Every structure is written in C-alpha cells, then in structure tokens.
Amino acid sequence: MEEELKALMRHMWCASVLICFGLTGCGVKDGTVQSVLRKYDMNDSPKVAAFDVCGGFGCTVKHSLVLDEAQWRNVSELFFPRAIDAAEERCRIARAVALLEYLVGEKNGTAQDAPRNDLAGAGQLDCIAESVNTSVYLLMLQGSGLLNYHVVGAPERRGTFIFYPHNTAILVERDSGQAFAVDSWFRENGALPAVVPVQLWKDGWRPVPQAEQPEAHDNTAGEGHGV
C-alpha cells in the first residue's frame, strides 16, 4: 500500500510539472494584445512618443523609448499612397516593422540581434521578445491610422514547452477575418519579417534557407505563401 501511494505521488508530481511547463513555456497569448503587454509590465497603448520594447530573452528586460518626427515620417511614408488591397498593405506593414526594428535597435542595443537564437548574446531576442516587440510596432501603426485593411490580434503560439515552442505577432484582415503571422524571429534585426497565414504557421511553417530566399522586396518569406 505504501509503495502504491508513493507511486501515485510521483505520478501526480510529474503531471503537475508537465502542466506548469505547458502553461508557461514560450507562449504569450493571453486574450488580447493589450493584456499580453500588461503581462510584461509594458505600455499597453504604445505611441510614437511613448512605447516600450523588450530588450532580452523572455522580455525580462524592458526599454521605454520614443521616436522623433523625422523617424516616424519615414515609417508613415511607407503607407502613402494608400495600398490598393490587403495583400499590398501586408507588404508595407512588413517594411514598416523592419524599419522600426532598425530604429529601435540603434536605441536599445538590439541592432545585432541575429536570426533565430543564433547569437544568444547581449541584445539577442528570443521568440517571446520578438512577438511582443512586433505587436508593439503593429499597434503603433494601427494607432496612427495607417492600417486600413487590418487590425492587430493577440500573439499566437505553437508547440509546447518541450516540443518546439514558438510565438508570433498577429494581423487580422478586416474583411475576411483571416489571421496572419508576422514573425520577426527567423531573420536578423531590421530584416523583413515573414508574413504568412497563421494556420500555415501553426502547422510548422519555416522559411526556406537563406540562399534560396526571394529578394527582399518580394516578401513572400519562402515557399510562396507570404502576404
């Protein structure tokens, strides 16, 4: 009887550990994009004159930043004249996210952020930090009235704590309701993020090797499924 009780306790302990792993892991989805930002003690209404970004793995480091008028003008000009459709707007959004990454990287020491977690040194961002930062940039674009065909969704995750956990920022097409992953983690700071349908992304999508990727202006992000 005593041995059976010990076995049961061991089983319960293992189950509780696995549950904890599943709840924490690399996932950040928590209802709305604003609630995700609050989870990391970040400004949940980011604006050009006041926004927060992650500066390290797990968003354990936070930086409060501003952009000047000239910097934001360079970003907003990417959206004029207005895109003719949602697909074109996603291309422009990708360019804006890349530019914002570059501008922010010069301010908070993440300019040398390498693709994936290849560097893992100072200023390197993991998938949590990337998804949160990209969500911040998307909210800034939305709040400035630059998005006509999309709204910002809460970050999504795939996998589990043990089995290839990964996160992405999310755009939702207004008319169709289709969600798209905006994933900056696969590429270096300031490069175009991958923009692919979220279901494809959840099925394990990854970009093709660097040597086989299309030119930056195409932004198909490999495999012909982008934007």
Side-chain angles (χ1 to χ4, degrees):
M1 183 67 179
E2 183 177 351
E3 289 301 318
E4 292 178 357
L5 180 59
K6 288 181 179 179
L8 177 61
M9 294 298 291
R10 285 196 298 269
H11 175 76
M12 293 177 64
W13 181 86
C14 290
S16 66
V17 169
L18 289 174
I19 290 171
C20 289
F21 281 173
L23 290 176
T24 56
C26 199
V28 296
K29 187 174 181 182
D30 191 22
T32 66
V33 63
Q34 289 80 11
S35 61
V36 169
L37 296 184
R38 290 193 293 271
K39 173 181 177 180
Y40 292 99
D41 194 30
M42 300 174 72
N43 181 351
D44 65 359
S45 183
K47 298 177 178 62
V48 179
F51 64 97
D52 299 330
V53 292
C54 308
F57 274 39
C59 204
T60 55
V61 178
K62 182 185 75 172
H63 300 275
S64 297
L65 303 175
V66 301
L67 295 179
D68 61 38
E69 291 184 7
Q71 290 171 324
W72 187 250
R73 188 181 310 115
N74 288 333
V75 175
S76 59
E77 284 177 352
L78 294 172
F79 294 87
F80 294 99
R82 175 175 168 167
I84 62 172
D85 57 24
E88 182 183 338
E89 184 170 88
R90 288 193 291 277
C91 287
R92 298 189 189 197
I93 289 169
R95 288 170 171 79
V97 169
L99 178 54
L100 285 164
E101 274 197 355
Y102 171 79
L103 295 172
V104 166
E106 295 295 308
K107 294 174 179 289
N108 75 340
T110 58
Q112 301 305 312
D113 175 50
R116 306 174 189 254
N117 293 339
D118 290 351
L119 180 62
Q124 180 69 23
L125 303 176
D126 66 352
C127 62
I128 292 178
E130 293 275 14
S131 64
V132 172
N133 286 357
T134 300
S135 296
V136 168
Y137 304 146
L138 295 177
L139 283 175
M140 290 168 66
L141 298 174
Q142 178 175 275
S144 296
L146 296 175
L147 305 187
N148 295 296
Y149 299 98
H150 299 86
V151 294
V152 183
E156 289 275 4
R157 64 176 173 237
R158 71 186 188 197
T160 67
F161 182 84
I162 299 174
F163 298 106
Y164 307 108
H166 188 43
N167 305 290
T168 184
I170 293 292
L171 274 177
V172 180
E173 194 173 292
R174 290 180 185 271
D175 289 344
S176 68
Q178 184 176 9
F180 290 83
V182 184
D183 194 334
S184 302
W185 179 73
F186 288 108
R187 296 174 177 169
E188 67 273 14
N189 184 76
L192 290 176
V195 182
V196 298
V198 72
Q199 191 55 57
L200 177 68
W201 180 89
K202 282 189 171 184
D203 288 341
W205 178 92
R206 294 174 182 274
V208 296
Q210 185 70 32
E212 302 174 26
Q213 285 183 9
E215 294 298 322
H217 66 270
D218 185 20
N219 192 42
T220 54
E223 299 185 13
H225 295 292
V227 301

